[in-house]
Amino acid sequence: MGNDVTNFNDVIKNSFLNEYMFGNLAALDILLGLLTAFMAGSFIYGVYKFTYKGVLYSPSFNITLLVMTMITSLVIMTISTNVVLSLGMVGALSIVRFRTAIKDPLDVVFMFWAIAAGISSGAGLYLLTLLGAVIIGAVIVVLSRKKHTDTLYLLVIHYTEEANDEVKRELQKLDYTLKSKVVRKNMMEITAEIRLKIDNTAFMNKLGDLDGVQDVSLVQYNGDYAV
């Protein structure tokens, strides 16, 4: 009885290994997968460059998105032909750590988009890859071109202690939130977040004309960036 069970288990294992462990991938499928990944990656490249609104555009990061799409497709095609290799690669990739800091959350979206496009193209879902790229790209373009009703700015003022009351009186006329205040002997520095619906900076002249105010700076605030 034990031999029968062992033989049956061996048959199941052998049939599984023979059918799923080693597979063949036609050259045409490889070319189509890589070509689809390249097309999707190129589209992602163009959308990223067109919609980028950060401080400094990085061409190397954008090229990385394109190459990442093709590499992911190649990885998926590799593990789809070998079950054992796929399990080993999952373990190997689980120890990979990315040390590069991603400051803009939208960059993470593009990275996941590139990976998803590579996975779908490597799996042979060419129509899903291209159609999904077009739809996602259209959504990103539309949302990035949407004009906001107001804009956030950071207002930095350096002034003497004698001008404290006058500065507060002028700030009360604005929609502001105090972010920080630094006192150095007789000098003060405040940083306030303000919202402007239009590009009207006349209040800066009024603040600059106050006695005791040394300088007034205004920078646009966008997440972690000041431009």
Side-chain angles (χ1 to χ4, degrees), residues 2-223:
N3 293 332
D4 294 339
V5 175
T6 302
N7 293 334
F8 179 75
N9 291 335
D10 291 340
V11 171
I12 296 298
K13 291 179 181 179
N14 291 332
S15 62
F16 174 80
L17 294 177
N18 291 332
E19 183 174 357
Y20 296 104
M21 179 176 287
F22 300 103
N24 294 322
L25 199 61
L28 181 60
D29 295 333
I30 297 175
L31 293 176
L32 286 176
L34 291 177
L35 179 60
T36 305
F38 175 77
M39 294 173 61
S42 300
F43 184 76
I44 296 172
Y45 178 94
V47 172
Y48 180 83
K49 186 175 182 179
F50 181 74
T51 60
Y52 184 79
K53 292 184 177 180
V55 178
L56 184 62
Y57 169 74
S58 175
S60 60
F61 177 80
N62 204 0
I63 294 175
T64 301
L65 295 176
L66 193 158
V67 179
M68 181 186 299
T69 307
M70 300 184 66
I71 293 177
T72 305
S73 176
L74 187 62
V75 170
I76 295 300
M77 285 188 288
T78 302
I79 65 178
S80 65
T81 60
N82 193 316
V83 175
V84 177
L85 182 60
S86 65
L87 297 177
M89 187 166 292
V90 169
L93 293 178
S94 64
I95 65 175
V96 176
R97 296 293 184 270
F98 295 97
R99 300 298 182 183
T100 303
I102 304 297
K103 295 183 179 180
D104 191 347
L106 196 58
D107 288 350
V108 180
V109 173
F110 278 95
M111 291 182 64
F112 275 104
W113 183 13
I115 294 173
I119 292 175
S120 59
S121 62
L125 304 176
Y126 310 130
L127 180 60
L128 174 63
T129 303
L130 298 178
L131 185 60
V134 172
I135 294 175
I136 295 174
V139 171
I140 293 177
V141 170
V142 171
L143 293 180
S144 66
R145 294 301 165 184
K146 183 179 179 180
K147 295 183 178 180
H148 301 283
T149 56
D150 52 7
T151 306
L152 285 177
Y153 291 89
L154 289 180
L155 179 66
V156 182
I157 310 174
H158 294 90
Y159 59 94
T160 60
E161 187 176 356
E162 291 74 13
N164 187 42
D165 294 336
E166 292 294 332
V167 171
K168 286 185 176 180
R169 190 175 297 109
E170 289 296 328
L171 287 177
Q172 289 175 354
K173 300 177 183 179
L174 304 173
D175 180 15
Y176 83 99
T177 302
L178 184 63
K179 289 297 183 179
S180 66
K181 182 176 181 179
V182 180
V183 179
R184 300 185 183 93
K185 293 184 179 180
N186 192 39
M187 293 299 301
M188 293 185 178
E189 174 189 311
I190 64 170
T191 302
E193 178 186 285
I194 64 174
R195 293 179 178 270
L196 298 178
K197 294 184 179 297
I198 57 177
D199 189 14
N200 184 8
T201 58
F203 64 91
M204 294 185 63
N205 296 328
K206 295 181 180 180
L207 287 170
D209 292 339
L210 296 177
D211 293 335
V213 175
Q214 287 193 347
D215 58 76
V216 182
S217 303
L218 185 68
V219 291
Q220 184 177 348
Y221 179 73
N222 183 16

